[in-house]
Amino acid sequence: MFGGEIGKDGEHRFPVRVYFEDTDFSGNVYHAAYLKFFERARTEYLRAHGIHHAEMAKAGLAFAVREMTISYDKAAHIDDLLEVGTRMAEATAARFILEQTIRRGNEIVTHARVVAVLMNDKGRPVRLPQELRALLSGS
């Protein structure tokens, strides 16, 4: 499936192929490219839960990353087929926390903890509407 899929364990899995443009002079994935992989996977995670950025934008809302912690455990290389796993760790009235892991097969390459908030069209944080929290929590 193009946008990935949600497994029976509740984790969303999104495939990513490493291209030349993702690598540095050594042939390893450049550290900032992992941010793109995580971002694409988060977007597809939201889409899989019925949350679409275009619809939110029409309502004057957007998600913003407030904080992100990344651990680079192993190097990924050109032509590697990776899988980005995304799962909800916590959702409150004001923010949600996602745990993301990039794997090559069973091997963890990189993992991140992402704290996101909802912003209005004036750039101010706003509380997550109950229906949005319900979609994010899967209930």
Side-chain angles (χ1 to χ4, degrees):
M1 174 184 257
F2 177 77
E5 60 187 5
I6 300 174
K8 292 183 182 188
D9 60 358
E11 183 175 71
H12 180 266
R13 292 173 178 85
F14 178 71
V16 174
R17 173 80 62 194
V18 176
Y19 298 118
F20 181 76
E21 69 183 22
D22 302 316
T23 62
D24 61 17
F25 68 93
S26 69
N28 294 326
V29 171
Y30 182 65
H31 74 279
Y34 292 104
L35 295 175
K36 294 188 301 182
F37 301 159
F38 283 133
E39 177 70 24
R40 291 176 199 157
R42 282 194 307 278
T43 297
E44 295 302 334
Y45 169 87
L46 293 170
R47 187 182 310 277
H49 285 86
I51 301 167
H52 302 276
H53 289 299
E55 292 173 12
M56 290 181 58
K58 288 177 187 173
L61 299 171
F63 289 118
V65 172
R66 168 87 167 79
E67 179 182 325
M68 188 172 195
T69 306
I70 303 174
S71 293
Y72 301 98
D73 301 318
K74 300 196 183 290
H77 313 282
I78 193 164
D79 290 333
D80 279 355
L81 182 57
L82 307 174
E83 182 178 80
V84 185
T86 304
R87 67 172 192 80
M88 180 64 62
E90 180 184 340
T92 69
R95 66 188 173 113
F96 61 95
I97 300 171
L98 295 171
E99 299 288 339
Q100 293 189 281
T101 304
I102 297 178
R103 293 180 180 87
R104 179 179 44 232
N106 293 326
E107 180 179 47
I108 294 176
V109 175
T110 306
H111 63 278
R113 178 181 180 273
V114 182
V115 178
V117 296
L118 186 62
M119 307 287 281
N120 65 19
D121 56 0
K122 294 175 180 45
R124 298 275 200 196
V126 295
R127 294 174 71 80
L128 295 169
Q130 182 59 37
E131 62 274 8
L132 196 54
R133 276 190 17 213
L135 287 170
L136 287 169
S137 64
S139 58

